[in-house]
């Protein structure tokens, strides 16, 4: 990668069913439709972690991964990362089912993009379909002005990417940019994403596409912060809101903290972006951790958020999705959280946000790789609140990685 970084990808396969599942892996390589295949078995109620999956398939380079199983019980997560000074940095890329892929019948948005002033943005495109697919990324600055279009085309089974994509359409630095993406032809089915990279730390932040049809005036960021962390770290949350309408939208921001609820009104210009680099401090003049709700009435908004810390090399952080207020998990069915770890220099934090008016009692079950239950405990999340983060090292126990949690 840029700056001498070397990247690799770990994949975790999880089987929530009661029977072992055979899973076929197919590597779709950069610019090719070459396929390298491997079959692995995932135990019942267990998981299988594949370190450096590209090398394990006998290949090198960049591509996408096709995952096939005869059961809907199999899910997958991945982390693409590099190492520096004895530590790692990277990003999570979700595995998408066929019905979750991007198609030509909607317009897609990628908010929260940056170029220059120490950052660059990449676009990636995987075409698992049967026809050559094209995605046009029309890049806009924060005022909504079009800067130009980046076009990616991929043959069936191929992966392609545009490195420093925004620099292709403007030499000027831009923060708070967004891209409007369209897929063609009509029968194309693809997966694409943006990646915003800090040029100093090389830490990437994943930007997944949002559909225009899923935009609205009632949104939530399940976690925001402005607070000191472990060691010398200090964490802050940036927020980008894109107004897809033509007129300015008044939006009520509500910060839900453990001890108080604060509100502020902002204006999001029509066709443009409202952005805060540290929403908790800049907008609410306070500190702490909580969650953020956005009420803009009938306006049509999408958003992106990143929680990050700044060090000598640059920034390190992660994307936190800004969701439609209705996009919460039902308490009627278990939620699976795979790939957790507490060993080999890693730890896992969990947070639960309850936007409802009644307290929630969650039962957390910890399972090992083989699917055996190793612990079970309850978490109470007050109404209109986010529970405090806690580590997977629970009740003084140290769990060897990776594990998964089943939340009830």
């Amino acid at each position: 990668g840029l700056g001498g970084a070397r990247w690799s990808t770990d994949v975790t396969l999880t089987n929530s069913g009661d029977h072992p599942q055979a899973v076929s892996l197919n590597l779709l390589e950069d610019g090719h439709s070459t396929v390298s295949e491997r079959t692995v078995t995932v135990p019942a109620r267990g998981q299988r972690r594949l370190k450096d999956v590209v090398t394990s398939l006998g290949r090198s380079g960049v591509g996408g991964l096709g995952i096939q199983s005869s059961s809907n019980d199999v899910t997958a997560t991945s982390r693409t990362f590099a190492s520096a000074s004895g530590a790692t940095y990277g990003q999570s890329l979700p595995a998408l089912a066929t019905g979750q892929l991007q198609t030509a019948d909607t317009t897609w948005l990628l908010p929260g993009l940056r170029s220059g002033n120490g950052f660059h943005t990449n676009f990636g495109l995987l075409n698992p379909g049967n026809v050559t697919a094209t995605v046009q990324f029309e890049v806009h600055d924060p005022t909504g002005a079009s800067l130009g279009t980046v076009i990616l085309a991929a043959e069936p089974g191929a992966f392609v990417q545009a490195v420093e994509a925004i620099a292709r359409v403007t030499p000027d630095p831009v923060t708070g940019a967004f891209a409007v993406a369209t897929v063609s032809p009509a029968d194309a089915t693809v997966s694409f994403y943006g990646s915003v990279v800090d040029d100093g730390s090389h830490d990437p932040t994943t930007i997944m596409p949002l559909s225009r049809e899923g935009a609205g005036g009632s949104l939530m960021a399940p976690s925001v912060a402005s607070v000191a962390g472990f060691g010398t770290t200090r964490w802050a949350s940036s927020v980008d809101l894109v107004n897809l309408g033509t007129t300015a939208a008044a939006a009520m921001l509500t910060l839900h903290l453990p001890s108080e609820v604060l509100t502020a009104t902002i204006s999001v210009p029509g066709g443009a972006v409202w952005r805060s680099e540290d929403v908790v401090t800049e907008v609410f003049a306070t500190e702490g951790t909580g969650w953020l709700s956005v009420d803009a009435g009938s306006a049509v908004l999408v958003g992106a958020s990143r929680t990050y810390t700044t060090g000598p090399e640059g920034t390190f952080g992660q994307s936190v999705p800004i969701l439609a207020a209705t996009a919460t998990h039902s308490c009627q069915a278990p939620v699976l959280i795979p790939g957790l770890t507490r060993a080999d220099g890693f730890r896992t934090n969990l947070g639960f946000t309850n936007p409802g008016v009644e307290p929630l009692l969650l039962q957390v079950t910890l399972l090992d790789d083989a699917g055996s239950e190793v612990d079970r405990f309850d978490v109470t999340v007050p109404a209109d609140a986010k529970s405090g983060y806690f580590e997977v090292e629970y009740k003084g126990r140290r769990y060897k990685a990776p594990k998964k949690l089943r939340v009830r």
Side-chain angles (χ1 to χ4, degrees), residues 51-62:
K51 294 186 176 183
D52 194 1
V53 68
V54 176
T55 300
S56 76
L57 290 169
R59 312 295 295 188
S60 62
V62 181

Side-chain angles (χ1 to χ4, degrees), residues 6 8-11 13 25-27 36-40 48-61 65:
R6 182 167 184 81
S8 60
T9 299
D10 291 349
V11 172
L13 304 172
L25 307 176
N26 301 284
L27 182 65
S36 301
E37 185 170 339
R38 176 187 175 189
T39 299
V40 299
R48 180 85 177 264
R49 184 182 185 188
L50 307 173
K51 294 186 176 183
D52 194 1
V53 68
V54 176
T55 300
S56 76
L57 290 169
R59 312 295 295 188
S60 62
L65 188 68

Side-chain angles (χ1 to χ4, degrees), residues 184-207:
S184 63
D187 55 347
T189 301
V190 301
S191 175
F192 65 83
Y193 64 91
S195 180
V196 179
V197 184
D198 185 306
D199 295 329
S201 66
H202 305 297
D203 186 55
T205 300
T206 305
I207 308 293

